[in-house]
Amino acid sequence: MKTDSFALRHLGPRDHDLPKMLETIGVESLDQLINETIPADIRLKNPLELEHIMTEYEFANHIRLLGRTNKVYKSYIGLGYHPTVVPAAIQRNVFENPSWYTAYTPYQAEIAQGRLEAILNFQTMVIELTGMEIANASLLDESTAAAEAMALLFDVRSRDQKKSNVNKFFVSEEILPQTLSVLQTRSAPIGVELVIGNHQEFEFSKEFFGAILQYPGKHGQIYDYAGFIKKAAENEIKVAVAADILSLVKLTPPGEIGAAVVVGTTQRFGIPMGYGGPHAAYFATKEEYKRSMPGRIIGVSQDANGNRALRMALQTREQHIKREKATSNICTAQVLLSVMAGMFAVYHGPKGLRYIADKVHRMASTLADALNKLGVYQTNTAFFDTIVVKTDAKKIRVIAEKNEINFFYIDDETISISLNETTLLTDIDDVIAVFAEALGKEAFVIKEYTAENNYPTHLSRTTDFLLHDVFNNHHSETSLMRYIKRLERKDLSLTHSMIALGSCTMKLNAAAEMLPLSMPYWNSIHPFAPLEQVQGYTTMLKKLEHQLNVITGFAGTTLQPNSGAQGEYAGLMTIRAYHLSRGDDQRKICLIPGSAHGTNPASAAMAGMKIIVTKTMENGNIDVEDVREKALQYKDQLSALMITYPSTHGVFESAIREITQIIHDNGGLVYMDGANMNAQVGLTNPATIGADVCHLNLHKTFAIPHGGGGPGVGPICVNEKLVPFLPSNPLVQVGGDQAITAISGAPYGSALVCLISYGYICMLGSEGITDATKYAILNANYMKARLEEHYPILYTGETGRAAHEMILDCRSFKEKGIEVVDIAKRLMDYGFHAPTVSFPVAGTLMIEPTESEDVAELDRFCDAMISIRKEIEASVTDEPNNILKNAPHTLAMLTADTWVLPYSREKAAYPLEYVADNKFWPSVRRVDETYGDRNLICSCAPIEAYM
């Protein structure tokens, strides 16, 4: 046994398992299975040309040495990214803890109460610091959150404004440059006209529906926006504010002066900079706009016993329901990072946050005073953490970088310096020494902080915040550790059992891939650091782009999109740019099969396209003739076809090349949704099937953990004709020579977690990642063979094979009074998370086992499903008080003095022998969704509840 082989550790089935699995499936060999699953005309003829395979030990050494080529300078660049102290208790117990980072999005609330409480803490923190009424469970970054604010304000225009097509949106020139770029990207396709200018000179015209302000401004100046917001309201203009969350500890919250939306990032609440991400953005607004609010909202409800229970509120996956009518395509949050930011607030509490904010402000004030003494005068009239000075910036830069210090150089005569939580008085001394050397003056040492505030008294915060018990009881590490563990025990993750979610690919997130994320040479880099300081990142990211090009068969890749939905949008925007470059402004029709993910039509609508739905046939495949008919009908307006391959039904459709050729023959391009790429890698690829662009979910196929619902990374890979249009960044040179504006704030999106996918590919190599695909298909077909005697399999390929996932049809069980959701809840009693429920077909379960699950675990899941099938048969419609309807069963139920149910406690809790060895207890009974939506509460209980 080659024990230094990473593939040996990643792949679940052992060599000795293969004969049993193949016999169960009914094939002679693994190659026969693959040949019967994937059409021959799209199979790759040669192995992928990737670099030699690394062992875990070799990769650890490689990534450590590569990391040391990055230069970790003291960063005072600011612009929304700051060095911060990651509390060790949070780093070890959340960030580095697989129980937190391998959990799935909390759609099954009964086994996700820990994460839901942690996110509720985050929402409460945001609501109280911003002074708003409702907040969501995080967004992707500050820049995209600002774009979502613009879209929301456009959506909630008054009836008269919509009737008059009021479409102008004012953007303060104080906005962060990367946010402006994302706003430019997102505004044009939906018909919003941006007007950029000085907010102090803005004329409040009826032509505007909204405005966005930066608080404090991009270079630290604090403005009093109360008058602006008041006058805007008088003219039916709603105002969004992008606010630094730490400054809101000291400054008047935007909600108290009438803001309609407040957005920002929580990065400086204990999240490493990581060369740009991932970081949890926040989004807060008024209750009246809750139905237009993007992303997820965690709400308080009750369970079947009337006890408090949390769940995702308001049909959170609205893009799956509203499709092209959805306000946003966002289905990804940054849950792991929002949990960390919320825990930062729990650990420090209101007094601790005040201490940090006071310290940061005093450091800035102290530096300003010291530079004044040197004759370098600070120009901001009011500031929180960032000062601006006028001097010879070129001369300062040479000396500063020689001393491993980065400032932000606005122009040749102007420098901004942003102070942060990590800044010490000795750091101030170092900065003074740089300026003194440049000026030919003698440096001096600072003995104490400057005491006075450098912002007007009337802008000081007067309201209390974070009074709730949770923010005031866990300030010792012992207490915080136990609190985190208490929540952790309520959540089912990959540390407990397989999570067989169709279309979501919950595979192993190997420790060897994760370890580099904690290395300071990787996680302490500012996204706008000079390129000569980030050689390690440049090398790693370029190699990853090359690896993804090889895997997809395409010519170019951008890693900028920081979720799969953002990838969809980015891909469609490159297609849009391509057509516009050719003068084909009229090409706006996007064909989308009826079986597509809901994010597909939502993304197309955001890209300014008109959606035409194509039919699927009875066997689940795309109706080729309907595609042909509609492509011909709209050939002069056809922009794109969006497809998922293998299909959302888990089938490699043999007509795929015919379909893509039809689109090309009629002037359109083909976008492939990469959700199911785990069934393609090494065996076929998007270029071979005829796609022009695809997005890849690195948090699925390429092993970045789901983190309880994020981080996600959704790069797009494109063919040569689309390479020129890959997105840019206003501060770092990336993208093509005809680049569209930015998709997200940082030039490489969530660069830190790209290390995981880079490690995954390096350690598996060409042979390993191809075997991963084969074993994913093997595991799916093994489960299919075991389950098809008990459950109808809805769709299969022409030879009866599944791809890497399959759909169990549970609709007939309604005759027994059993719904598919009852099966999902009963699986919890067996120690499993449910497969994907009622997608893509209502009343079904979609199962995807992944390649990293071993046969014993596959058998445990199949045994559970077969046992549940027997329970369904034993159910009768006129006796709803049965074991499935009452599931899940909690420990409190099983230990109660009375038991009046018509089945035993043992049957409820330990339905199969294996369950007793590793029993996972749901912490609440079935959650009442309707009650929660009728009584929407999205923050911790008010302090009175604790009295």
Side-chain angles (χ1 to χ4, degrees):
M1 185 166 69
K2 192 177 178 183
T3 57
D4 62 355
S5 163
F6 179 72
L8 177 76
R9 309 306 187 188
H10 179 78
L11 300 175
R14 307 291 87 184
D15 287 345
H16 62 261
D17 294 319
L18 290 183
K20 167 196 169 184
M21 298 178 74
L22 296 170
E23 182 182 358
T24 302
I25 295 168
V27 291
E28 302 266 327
S29 67
L30 183 54
D31 284 342
Q32 180 189 342
L33 173 64
I34 299 304
N35 290 336
E36 291 180 3
T37 303
I38 304 178
D41 68 327
I42 62 168
R43 288 288 300 277
L44 298 182
K45 303 298 185 283
N46 300 303
L48 298 174
E49 294 184 9
L50 297 170
E51 293 183 3
H52 75 279
I53 299 171
M54 296 184 193
T55 66
E56 290 189 29
Y57 180 71
E58 286 173 326
F59 178 72
N61 285 331
H62 163 71
I63 211 68
R64 192 178 299 112
L65 291 171
L66 188 60
R68 286 175 182 164
T69 66
N70 292 321
K71 298 174 182 177
V72 184
Y73 286 7
K74 287 284 183 180
S75 178
Y76 305 104
I77 297 171
L79 295 178
Y81 302 92
H82 302 270
T84 184
V85 177
V86 184
I90 295 174
Q91 177 172 326
R92 174 60 61 88
N93 294 300
V94 178
F95 186 61
E96 297 175 349
N97 183 347
S99 291
W100 285 95
Y101 67 67
T102 70
Y104 181 59
T105 308
Y107 293 125
Q108 297 296 333
E110 296 82 0
I111 51 175
Q113 289 295 299
R115 242 168 316 131
L116 289 165
E117 181 171 329
I119 305 168
L120 192 75
N121 293 343
F122 173 86
Q123 290 180 180
T124 303
M125 172 190 83
V126 169
I127 289 168
E128 298 196 5
L129 286 174
T130 60
M132 299 304 288
E133 296 169 358
I134 189 170
N136 70 13
S138 79
L139 288 178
L140 304 176
D141 64 13
E142 177 170 339
S143 299
T144 54
E148 296 291 345
M150 174 186 69
L152 179 144
L153 296 181
F154 191 53
D155 186 58
V156 301
R157 288 172 299 165
S158 69
R159 184 177 299 175
D160 287 344
Q161 286 176 324
K162 289 179 179 178
K163 188 176 179 181
S164 303
N165 195 30
V166 174
N167 73 333
K168 289 186 178 180
F169 187 71
F170 175 75
V171 181
S172 166
E173 60 192 17
E174 288 287 333
I175 205 79
L176 295 173
Q178 66 271 26
T179 297
L180 174 58
S181 188
V182 174
L183 287 169
Q184 289 168 331
T185 305
R186 293 279 289 271
S187 58
I190 60 173
V192 171
E193 181 184 341
L194 296 187
V195 177
I196 303 152
N198 185 332
H199 75 273
Q200 295 170 316
E201 300 170 0
F202 177 60
E203 295 182 7
F204 295 86
S205 159
K206 296 291 185 183
E207 296 178 333
F208 289 83
F209 69 87
I212 188 166
L213 309 168
Q214 191 81 41
Y215 185 57
K218 62 184 176 183
H219 301 313
Q221 175 68 43
I222 296 174
Y223 296 95
D224 182 352
Y225 289 130
F228 180 97
I229 293 174
K230 183 174 183 292
K231 195 167 182 181
E234 292 168 357
N235 288 274
E236 283 194 280
I237 300 171
K238 298 177 179 70
V239 179
V241 177
D244 178 290
I245 196 162
L246 186 62
S247 75
L248 300 183
V249 173
K250 302 300 296 178
L251 302 178
T252 303
E256 293 182 14
I257 56 173
V261 186
V262 187
V263 299
T265 177
T266 59
Q267 179 267 315
R268 66 191 312 178
F269 275 25
I271 314 296
M273 287 188 292
Y275 200 45
H279 308 134
Y282 71 83
F283 189 107
T285 187
K286 297 181 177 181
E287 185 115 0
E288 63 188 283
Y289 305 141
K290 63 191 177 188
R291 291 287 175 183
S292 297
M293 194 175 185
R296 304 178 186 135
I297 305 169
I298 307 309
V300 181
S301 186
Q302 63 183 24
D303 73 359
N305 284 355
N307 296 319
R308 178 180 183 267
L310 308 176
R311 92 296 183 231
M312 297 202 302
L314 296 176
Q315 298 286 3
T316 304
R317 298 182 82 180
E318 66 142 21
Q319 75 282 355
H320 282 75
I321 299 159
K322 297 181 182 177
R323 297 174 71 83
E324 69 273 13
K325 294 183 176 64
T327 307
S328 169
N329 71 340
I330 292 299
C331 65
T332 304
Q334 300 281 25
V335 172
L336 184 67
L337 299 314
S338 63
V339 168
M340 290 176 67
M343 288 299 177
F344 185 90
V346 168
Y347 199 30
H348 289 291
K351 292 179 181 177
L353 293 183
R354 286 192 187 99
Y355 168 78
I356 293 168
D358 284 337
K359 179 186 170 187
V360 169
H361 180 64
R362 285 174 185 160
M363 285 291 182
S365 299
T366 300
L367 179 58
D369 287 353
L371 291 176
N372 285 345
K373 290 174 185 174
L374 282 176
V376 180
Y377 296 106
Q378 200 281 128
T379 61
N380 281 339
T381 58
F383 60 86
F384 169 64
D385 64 358
T386 301
I387 63 173
V388 173
V389 294
K390 292 285 187 180
T391 187
D392 185 341
K394 287 185 176 179
K395 192 172 184 181
I396 292 291
R397 181 168 189 164
V398 171
I399 299 168
E401 291 182 1
K402 181 183 70 176
N403 287 276
E404 300 189 349
I405 294 172
N406 286 330
F407 304 128
F408 184 69
Y409 302 95
I410 299 170
D411 55 42
D412 289 346
E413 298 177 342
T414 317
I415 302 171
S416 77
I417 307 172
S418 293
L419 286 300
N420 58 76
E421 182 192 2
T422 70
T423 309
L424 305 172
L425 280 177
T426 53
D427 297 319
I428 300 291
D429 294 339
D430 293 339
V431 173
I432 293 167
V434 167
F435 280 85
E437 182 179 342
L439 296 168
K441 296 184 178 181
E442 188 173 339
F444 50 86
V445 175
I446 301 294
K447 300 293 186 183
E448 58 185 6
Y449 298 122
T450 298
E452 70 271 10
N453 288 336
N454 276 286
Y455 51 85
T457 304
H458 77 277
L459 291 181
S460 294
R461 184 179 189 116
T462 58
T463 49
D464 288 329
F465 57 92
L466 305 188
L467 298 177
H468 314 90
D469 184 63
V470 72
F471 298 108
N472 292 279
N473 277 4
H474 304 296
H475 300 159
S476 74
E477 182 170 339
T478 306
S479 180
L480 182 73
M481 175 181 68
R482 289 173 182 158
Y483 177 61
I484 292 171
K485 178 59 71 172
R486 178 161 66 83
L487 298 190
E488 179 189 323
R489 284 198 298 265
K490 296 180 180 182
D491 280 17
L492 188 142
S493 71
L494 284 178
T495 62
H496 298 95
S497 56
M498 71 185 292
I499 301 178
L501 286 150
S503 201
C504 284
T505 315
M506 298 289 290
K507 64 169 69 182
L508 172 71
N509 314 122
E513 299 157 1
M514 302 296 293
L515 288 174
L517 275 59
S518 295
M519 296 177 181
Y521 286 106
W522 291 109
N523 68 23
S524 300
I525 307 288
H526 194 287
F528 304 138
L531 290 177
E532 60 269 19
Q533 295 174 21
V534 292
Q535 291 179 16
Y537 259 117
T538 301
T539 299
M540 183 274 292
L541 294 168
K542 292 302 177 190
K543 281 188 175 181
L544 177 58
E545 288 177 356
H546 173 71
Q547 290 167 337
L548 298 178
N549 288 342
V550 170
I551 288 166
T552 58
F554 282 140
T557 292
T558 176
L559 297 163
Q560 195 174 116
N562 43 18
S563 81
Q566 290 288 83
E568 290 178 18
Y569 179 71
L572 292 172
M573 288 298 286
T574 61
I575 289 174
R576 177 179 181 271
Y578 169 79
H579 289 311
L580 290 176
S581 75
R582 294 159 57 86
D584 287 338
D585 304 29
Q586 80 288 355
R587 290 196 175 273
K588 294 183 178 180
I589 297 287
C590 186
L591 303 182
I592 302 178
S595 61
H597 291 114
T599 51
N600 287 179
S603 295
M606 285 172 58
M609 296 181 180
K610 180 182 177 184
I611 291 86
I612 302 294
V613 177
T614 66
K615 298 174 185 175
T616 53
M617 297 189 293
E618 202 169 305
N619 65 0
N621 291 352
I622 294 171
D623 187 327
V624 179
E625 292 312 311
D626 191 53
V627 170
R628 193 189 316 276
E629 180 184 319
K630 288 185 167 70
L632 285 167
Q633 180 182 351
Y634 299 107
K635 65 178 181 179
D636 295 329
Q637 295 87 40
L638 182 61
S639 176
L641 166 73
M642 295 186 81
I643 52 165
T644 302
Y645 199 75
S647 73
T648 312
H649 296 145
V651 175
F652 281 97
E653 298 182 37
S654 59
I656 186 62
R657 294 181 75 170
E658 181 183 0
I659 291 167
T660 57
Q661 190 60 51
I662 290 168
I663 301 304
H664 291 149
D665 288 346
N666 289 280
L669 299 183
V670 176
Y671 167 89
M672 193 202 86
D673 184 316
N676 294 340
M677 193 68 193
N678 209 44
Q680 283 199 44
V681 178
L683 300 177
T684 183
N685 63 34
T688 299
I689 70 169
D692 298 281
V693 53
C694 74
H695 90 267
L696 302 173
N697 291 340
L698 298 192
H699 51 288
K700 295 181 182 180
T701 303
F702 296 96
I704 292 176
H706 281 61
V713 180
I716 59 168
C717 306
V718 299
N719 60 15
E720 287 185 1
K721 67 175 69 173
L722 292 179
V723 167
F725 308 103
L726 291 175
S728 61
N729 180 276
L731 295 164
V732 177
Q733 182 62 48
V734 294
D737 55 19
Q738 299 178 67
I740 62 173
T741 42
I743 293 295
S744 66
Y748 293 97
S750 295
L752 181 63
V753 291
C754 287
L755 284 161
I756 301 166
S757 298
Y758 176 66
Y760 173 84
I761 298 169
C762 286
M763 289 186 284
L764 280 176
S766 175
E767 183 180 349
I769 60 173
T770 304
D771 282 345
T773 308
K774 290 178 178 178
Y775 277 64
I777 293 170
L778 171 71
N779 282 357
N781 281 279
Y782 174 73
M783 292 183 73
K784 173 181 171 291
R786 284 211 59 199
L787 292 174
E788 62 191 352
E789 296 176 21
H790 308 276
Y791 295 87
I793 307 297
L794 199 53
Y795 304 114
T796 59
E798 291 171 8
T799 59
R801 305 298 176 205
H804 63 317
E805 62 189 4
M806 79 212 77
I807 300 174
L808 305 190
D809 190 349
C810 303
R811 291 172 292 187
S812 63
F813 304 148
K814 287 186 178 183
E815 296 174 5
K816 296 279 188 178
I818 301 301
E819 303 287 343
V820 68
V821 70
D822 300 321
I823 301 172
K825 302 309 179 187
R826 180 59 174 152
L827 266 171
M828 297 175 191
D829 291 329
Y830 287 81
F832 286 108
H833 193 291
T836 303
V837 177
S838 288
F839 177 81
V841 179
T844 66
L845 292 172
M846 185 159 62
I847 298 174
E848 179 182 347
T850 85
E851 71 277 7
S852 51
E853 297 298 343
D854 60 30
V855 176
E857 187 71 357
L858 302 180
D859 282 337
R860 273 190 290 272
F861 185 87
C862 290
D863 290 345
M865 289 298 295
I866 292 166
S867 178
I868 289 173
R869 183 70 177 88
K870 293 174 183 175
E871 293 173 352
I872 294 169
E873 284 305 305
S875 302
V876 290
T877 309
D878 53 4
E879 180 46 77
N881 190 22
N882 63 48
I883 204 163
L884 286 128
K885 289 292 185 184
N886 287 325
H889 298 82
T890 63
L891 183 60
M893 288 177 69
L894 271 292
T895 56
D897 291 340
T898 57
W899 180 266
V900 295
L901 298 175
Y903 47 88
S904 71
R905 299 178 197 242
E906 181 181 22
K907 180 67 174 171
Y910 302 106
L912 290 175
E913 191 174 333
Y914 78 81
V915 179
D917 292 334
N918 187 30
K919 177 65 180 176
F920 179 86
W921 290 101
S923 54
V924 296
R925 293 194 65 194
R926 199 174 300 194
V927 176
D928 187 336
E929 303 283 355
T930 306
Y931 176 89
D933 281 348
R934 280 202 313 264
N935 304 276
L936 186 63
I937 301 170
C938 297
S939 62
C940 298
I943 190 64
E944 290 77 16
Y946 297 102
M947 292 179 177

